[in-house]
Amino acid sequence: MNKLTPKERMAIERVVMPELPADERSRNFEEVNLGLSENQAFEEARRCLQCKNRACVAGCPVGVSIPEFIDALASDDLPRAANILRGDNALPAVCGRVCPQETQCEARCVRGVKGESVAIGFLERYVADWAMHHPDRLLRAELPPATGKKVAVVGCGPAGLTAAGELVRMGHGVTIFEALHDTGGVLRYGIPEFRLPKEIIDQEVAQLTELGVVIECNVIIGKTLTVAELREEYDAVFVANGAGLPIMLNIPGENLKGVYAANEFLTRVNLMEAGRRPESATPIIRSREVAVIGGGNTAMDCVRTARRLGAERAMIVYRRSEAEMPARVEEIKHAKEEGVEFVMLTAPLAVTATEDGWVAGLRCQMMELGPPDASGRRKPIPIPGSEFDLPAGVVVNAVGTNANPLLTATAPDLTLNKWGNIVADENGMTSIPGVFAGGDIVRGGATVILAMGDGKRAAAAIQEYLKGK
Amino acid sequence: MFNVISNELLAENLHKMVISAPRVARARKPGQFVIVRLAPGEERIPLTIGDADAQAGTITLFIQAIGASTQKIVATPAGGALRDVAGPLGKETHIANWGRVACVGGGVGTAVLFPLVKALAGAGNRITTIIGGRSSRYIILADELAPLSERLLVTTEDGTLGSTGFVTGPLQEMLADPERAPQAVFAVGPVPMMKAVAELTRPHGIETVVSLNPIMIDGTGMCGGCRVQIGGATKFACVDGPEFDAHLVDFDGLSDRLSSYRKEEAARHAATGCRLKEERR
C-alpha cells in the first residue's frame, strides 16, 4: 500500500498538529496538542522517503526503528507499527509528547534539508495512542523464559521505567523502588497535565506491570534501604533516582513568602493536584502577576501553569535572549500563544518585599550579549544603570537542580564527580560492580529521552553483566 | 498500604499510633521522621518517628490532630491502614554523653522531643526534661518522659498544671545555677519558644539543638520548600536537618515562611470544623 514515488511523497505537505485554542486552554489543564486524526497520520506517514541510511534513527537516543514503524503506518498496518515502536521504546506515548524531536530525529530527517521534516514525534504519539486504545489488536509480546535473575531499579522516572521494560523483556525479575507515593518520577511531578496527561503515564506504567515489573512506592534508597542492601538481595542494581535539590539564586529576598523553587511549584500542582482539583488538600499561592526565572522547559512548564492558575501577567525572566533559550521551540510557541510575556536580557538582582513579608516583585537589571562563554552561548553582560522593578506576587526559580544526595550519602563506594553526580561509563557502569546508573543523577539536568537512552543502554549492559555471572 | 496496629488517645487531640512499617522500623534512628499520606488527594504530612521496634516491624507516631490532614490520619482505627508512609527521612540526632542535658518541649513539640530524650538517656546523660503548654490539656507524654528523666518539670501558662509560666522559666533557673547548668540543651516546640531558648543559652555558650518544622512536601530535598537560613546559608530541613544549631537558626524567617498558607488553612479548617491554628509534627 505504501508504494508512492518519491515525487508523490515530496508533494505532501507536513501536517499541522490540531491544538486547543490558546484562549480556551490557558484557563484549563487539558492537553494542548489534540493528536492527529487517522487521515492526517496516514498522510504524514506517506511523506517519509524511507531512505536507506536511516539518519533519523541515529538521531534518536533510544534508536527507535523510525522508517520501519512509519512504513507500517503508511501501509495501514497499525498493529505492526505499534509492535515495532513498543519493541524499541518502553514509553512511546510519553516520547511522542515530550521529546525534543526538532533537535533529534526530525533534525536529521532528509526532508528537512529543503523543506519540513517528517513529523516523527506526532506519528509516534499517534501509533502509541492507538495501541493504548486497541490492546486487543496488539501482537502479544512473548517473554523469554525467566532467567531467575533479579534486578533492582531505583527511581520510577523515564530512565528507570525504560530500563525496567527492557530488563523484564529479557526475562529478568525487576523491582522498581520509588521514593514518592506514585509512579512516573519527573513525568508525574514535573511535567504538567496539559503537556503529558497523567492518564498516559498510568497506562504506560500499567503495560510494564502487566509484563511483571513490580513497583514499590515510598521506598527511599539511601534512607529506607541502602544500595549495599539492594546489592545483597539483587543480582544487579540500576540507579536512576533523578534530579535533586534546587539550585538557589542566592539573591536577597529569596525566602520571602511567594517565592517557589520550580520543583515545589510544579509538584504542588502536578503531583498534589493543587489548583487542579477542588478537593486537593494541598494549597498553592496564586497571584495576578507571576515571574518565572529561567529559560528551559521547566521554566515554560511553570509559567504556563501559572497562567492556568489565573495569572494575568505570567512572565519569563531570562538573562539571555530567546535564541539562547534551552526550552523546546514548541513550548516557547505555546507559551506565547497563551499570553506569556517574555522579559528577555533581564537578570534578577533581588526579590523585593511587601511590608508583611510577601513577594512584591523582582529588582532586575538589563543585560547585553557578549562573546560566547563555556556553554557556547553568548554571555550576558550587565548594563550599568539599567535597573528596574518588575511587579510580581509569586516568583518561581526555574534555573535548575543539583545532584540528589540521599542515595549517594549512604553509598561511600560509589564514585561521584565534583558536583555530586554518579560517575558512570557509556554503558552506565559505576565504580561498584553490578551497580549501574543513568538519567539526571549521572547527567545533571537533562531530558526525558536522554534518561530513557541511558536506561536502555544500561539494561543491555546489565544483560551482559548477568551473563557473565 | 501501612497497617495501623493500634491507635490510642493519650490526651485531647493527641494520638499514639503504632504502624506496621518494617523497613522504616529497621532503618530508623532518633531524630528522623516519616512522610505520611492518608489517602489519594491528601497532603503529605511530616511526622517525627516517636519510637520503633525493629523486631516487630513497627513505628510509633505521636500525632497531635490540629490540622485537617492530621485529624483524618488519627481517625484511622486499629485495623485500618495509611496509604503512604515514607522514610526514615532527615538526619539522625547527634547523640553523645554530655553529662547534664536539658530537654525542653513545648506543646506537641514534646512528641518530637520524646525519641531524643530516650536516646540521650540511653547514652547515659542525666536529663532534666521541661515540658509546657497553654494549659494542662496540652501537657503530653509526661508519664512516658518521667522514667527517662532525672527530673521532669511541667509549666502551664494558666497554672492548671505544674508551675505557672513558660518552659523558659525553669530553664533560666538551671542556667543560673552552676550546680545544675546543663552541658547541652535540646528544644522542640513552637518557633517563639525555640527562639527564646536559643537566646537564653547563647550567652552561656551552651550547645543547643532545635528541631525545625518548616513546610515540606517530598521530604527528599527535591522541592526546596523547607529551606531555612542557618548561619546565613540556605539549608533544606528535610535533608540537612531537621535538627540544627539553635544559635545559627533564623527563627524569624522560619516563622514567616510557616505563615505562607495561613489563609488557605484557615479556610480549610473552617470547612472541617477545626479551630486550632498551627499544624506541626
Side-chain angles (χ1 to χ4, degrees):
Chain A
M1 278 181 75
N2 184 21
K3 296 281 179 245
L4 299 184
T5 64
K7 202 176 168 187
E8 285 169 316
R9 292 175 191 275
M10 292 295 286
I12 308 170
E13 279 185 30
R14 179 176 161 122
V15 70
V16 175
M17 172 60 81
E19 297 171 353
L20 275 185
D23 55 344
E24 181 187 334
R25 71 186 193 231
S26 60
R27 297 271 167 266
N28 65 38
F29 283 89
E30 281 165 41
E31 190 171 16
V32 170
N33 285 349
L34 299 172
L36 302 182
S37 70
E38 190 182 337
N39 261 337
Q40 284 176 315
F42 182 67
E43 277 302 291
E44 184 63 25
R46 284 152 49 105
R47 292 182 69 229
C48 172
L49 298 175
Q50 294 293 320
C51 17
K52 290 283 171 288
N53 69 357
R54 301 164 91 241
C56 51
V57 181
C60 173
V62 296
V64 167
S65 305
I66 294 166
E68 288 77 9
F69 98 77
I70 292 182
D71 179 57
L73 174 57
S75 307
D76 211 11
D77 189 350
L78 274 157
R80 187 162 65 89
N83 199 42
I84 295 167
L85 187 55
R86 299 206 70 89
D88 291 329
N89 185 338
L91 309 169
V94 171
C95 288
R97 287 170 167 82
V98 305
C99 258
Q101 287 96 7
E102 66 276 11
T103 61
Q104 297 177 359
C105 54
E106 292 182 19
R108 312 279 187 100
C109 177
V110 172
R111 291 222 46 183
V113 177
K114 279 192 176 168
E116 289 196 280
S117 57
V118 174
I120 300 168
F122 296 168
L123 295 180
E124 179 178 38
R125 170 181 164 165
Y126 179 80
V127 173
D129 287 0
W130 178 88
M132 276 186 183
H133 292 115
H134 299 85
D136 48 316
R137 292 186 55 196
L138 295 181
L139 307 170
R140 279 237 153 256
E142 285 280 323
L143 287 186
T147 62
K149 303 278 193 211
K150 289 162 65 187
V151 183
V153 173
V154 182
C156 196
L161 288 170
T162 301
E166 296 286 322
L167 290 163
V168 77
R169 287 191 184 90
M170 294 167 183
H172 305 309
V174 183
T175 303
I176 302 180
F177 295 100
E178 165 59 43
L180 288 172
H181 59 249
D182 208 345
T183 57
V186 71
L187 303 175
R188 192 178 302 271
Y189 77 74
I191 301 179
E193 180 81 9
F194 53 83
R195 267 209 308 137
L196 178 62
K198 308 292 169 252
E199 187 196 350
I200 301 291
I201 307 166
D202 291 339
Q203 295 209 33
E204 300 263 41
V205 168
Q207 308 236 15
L208 294 179
T209 51
E210 275 163 29
L211 291 173
V213 173
V214 175
I215 302 178
E216 290 201 44
C217 287
N218 299 313
V219 182
I220 304 120
I221 303 303
K223 289 287 186 185
T224 318
L225 297 170
T226 62
V227 169
E229 286 173 300
L230 291 184
R231 207 50 206 91
E232 275 172 32
E233 202 182 323
Y234 294 85
D235 298 292
V237 177
F238 177 55
V239 177
N241 57 341
L245 287 59
I247 297 171
M248 302 318 286
L249 299 164
N250 291 319
I251 58 174
E254 192 166 19
N255 297 314
L256 290 167
K257 289 170 286 183
V259 183
Y260 285 112
N263 271 351
E264 182 182 0
F265 186 71
L266 291 173
T267 299
R268 281 181 179 271
V269 178
N270 295 338
L271 180 71
M272 308 306 290
E273 305 182 315
R276 281 204 297 132
R277 277 182 206 270
E279 66 270 27
S280 169
T282 302
I284 183 114
I285 301 164
R286 300 170 196 243
S287 173
R288 291 157 64 111
E289 287 141 341
V290 177
V292 177
I293 301 161
N297 287 324
T298 305
M300 295 304 141
D301 286 343
C302 290
V303 80
R304 296 174 69 197
T305 296
R307 187 91 176 95
R308 284 160 173 78
L309 290 172
E312 284 159 30
R313 253 192 114 182
M315 298 168 278
I316 286 284
V317 178
Y318 184 55
R319 62 197 185 118
R320 304 179 203 244
S321 74
E322 197 180 313
E324 287 80 28
M325 277 195 166
R328 284 186 68 194
V329 175
E330 184 180 65
E331 307 314 322
I332 296 171
K333 169 181 164 279
H334 281 160
K336 284 188 170 168
E337 288 169 359
E338 289 162 13
V340 169
E341 279 180 56
F342 283 63
V343 185
M344 299 291 95
L345 291 165
T346 300
L349 299 176
V351 186
T352 54
T354 63
E355 273 177 14
D356 46 0
W358 289 85
V359 173
L362 281 180
R363 182 91 181 126
C364 298
Q365 183 169 34
M366 299 291 293
M367 313 293 274
E368 59 188 352
L369 291 179
D373 64 11
S375 76
R377 294 177 298 176
R378 293 181 63 190
K379 187 185 160 87
I381 299 165
I383 302 173
S386 65
E387 293 81 2
F388 69 100
D389 284 304
L390 201 62
V394 166
V395 167
V396 183
N397 160 12
V399 300
T401 54
N402 286 318
N404 190 327
L406 288 191
L407 179 141
T408 53
T410 55
D413 298 340
L414 213 46
T415 303
L416 309 179
N417 68 15
K418 62 177 171 176
W419 298 285
N421 296 104
I422 297 174
V423 175
D425 70 11
E426 68 274 19
N427 295 317
M429 194 106 65
T430 70
S431 55
I432 304 178
V435 176
F436 298 75
D440 278 3
I441 189 62
V442 171
R443 295 175 176 273
T447 60
V448 167
I449 188 68
L450 287 174
M452 291 178 61
D454 289 352
K456 191 162 176 173
R457 274 190 304 280
I462 288 169
Q463 172 80 327
E464 282 305 306
Y465 171 80
L466 293 176
K467 270 187 201 162
K469 281 188 75 179
Chain B
M1 299 295 267
F2 296 81
N3 292 327
V4 177
I5 306 300
S6 65
N7 183 348
E8 242 179 285
L9 186 68
L10 294 187
E12 186 175 314
N13 286 330
L14 180 79
H15 288 248
K16 176 184 176 182
M17 293 179 79
V18 177
I19 315 288
S20 173
R23 285 175 178 150
V24 181
R26 231 179 4 249
R28 170 266 175 184
K29 298 276 193 315
Q32 292 187 302
F33 64 95
V34 285
I35 297 255
V36 175
R37 178 172 164 271
L38 171 66
E42 292 298 331
E43 282 185 289
R44 291 169 65 89
I45 302 287
L47 294 166
T48 298
I49 305 169
D51 211 344
D53 184 338
Q55 290 273 294
T58 59
I59 57 169
T60 301
L61 304 176
F62 296 103
I63 309 171
Q64 181 130 11
I66 50 175
S69 295
T70 43
Q71 279 186 339
K72 286 192 195 169
I73 290 170
V74 301
T76 312
L82 308 176
R83 169 69 170 68
D84 305 293
V85 176
L89 294 162
K91 291 214 162 108
E92 61 185 277
T93 309
H94 170 61
I95 299 290
N97 190 348
W98 279 276
R100 262 195 313 275
V101 175
C103 292
V104 187
V108 73
T110 302
V112 180
L113 192 71
F114 174 73
L116 306 188
V117 174
K118 193 175 169 187
L120 288 165
N125 290 285
R126 283 172 292 123
I127 301 167
T128 299
T129 301
I130 309 168
I131 56 175
R134 259 183 285 165
S135 72
S136 60
R137 297 187 338 197
Y138 298 92
I139 299 301
I140 58 172
L141 299 173
D143 294 344
E144 288 80 358
L145 286 163
L148 300 169
S149 316
E150 198 174 78
R151 284 209 305 162
L152 178 80
L153 304 170
V154 175
T155 65
T156 51
E157 289 169 42
D158 62 0
T160 45
L161 195 67
S163 51
T164 306
F166 298 98
V167 286
T168 41
L171 180 64
Q172 208 160 4
E173 286 167 24
M174 278 181 80
L175 293 171
D177 180 356
E179 296 289 301
R180 288 170 57 213
Q183 280 80 49
V185 175
F186 288 77
V188 194
V191 177
M193 183 215 101
M194 293 191 286
K195 185 182 176 185
V197 170
E199 291 317 317
L200 278 183
T201 59
R202 192 191 302 276
H204 299 271
I206 297 170
E207 185 168 351
T208 303
V209 176
V210 287
S211 178
L212 305 185
N213 62 318
I215 292 165
M216 203 176 273
I217 298 183
D218 63 293
T220 63
M222 189 252 300
C223 85
C226 67
R227 60 188 185 272
V228 286
Q229 295 298 110
I230 308 293
T234 297
K235 299 282 178 189
F236 299 111
C238 67
V239 201
D240 304 315
E243 289 165 15
F244 293 100
D245 178 344
H247 297 147
L248 298 177
V249 173
D250 171 10
F251 287 107
D252 294 342
L254 170 65
S255 194
D256 199 37
R257 282 184 62 79
L258 277 169
S259 71
S260 296
Y261 298 99
R262 203 144 279 170
K263 219 165 58 181
E264 287 83 353
E265 276 165 12
R268 196 161 165 252
H269 293 175
T272 55
C274 177
R275 292 182 311 278
L276 290 152
K277 272 181 287 175
E278 211 171 312
E279 188 148 328
R280 61 153 299 133
R281 64 185 153 75

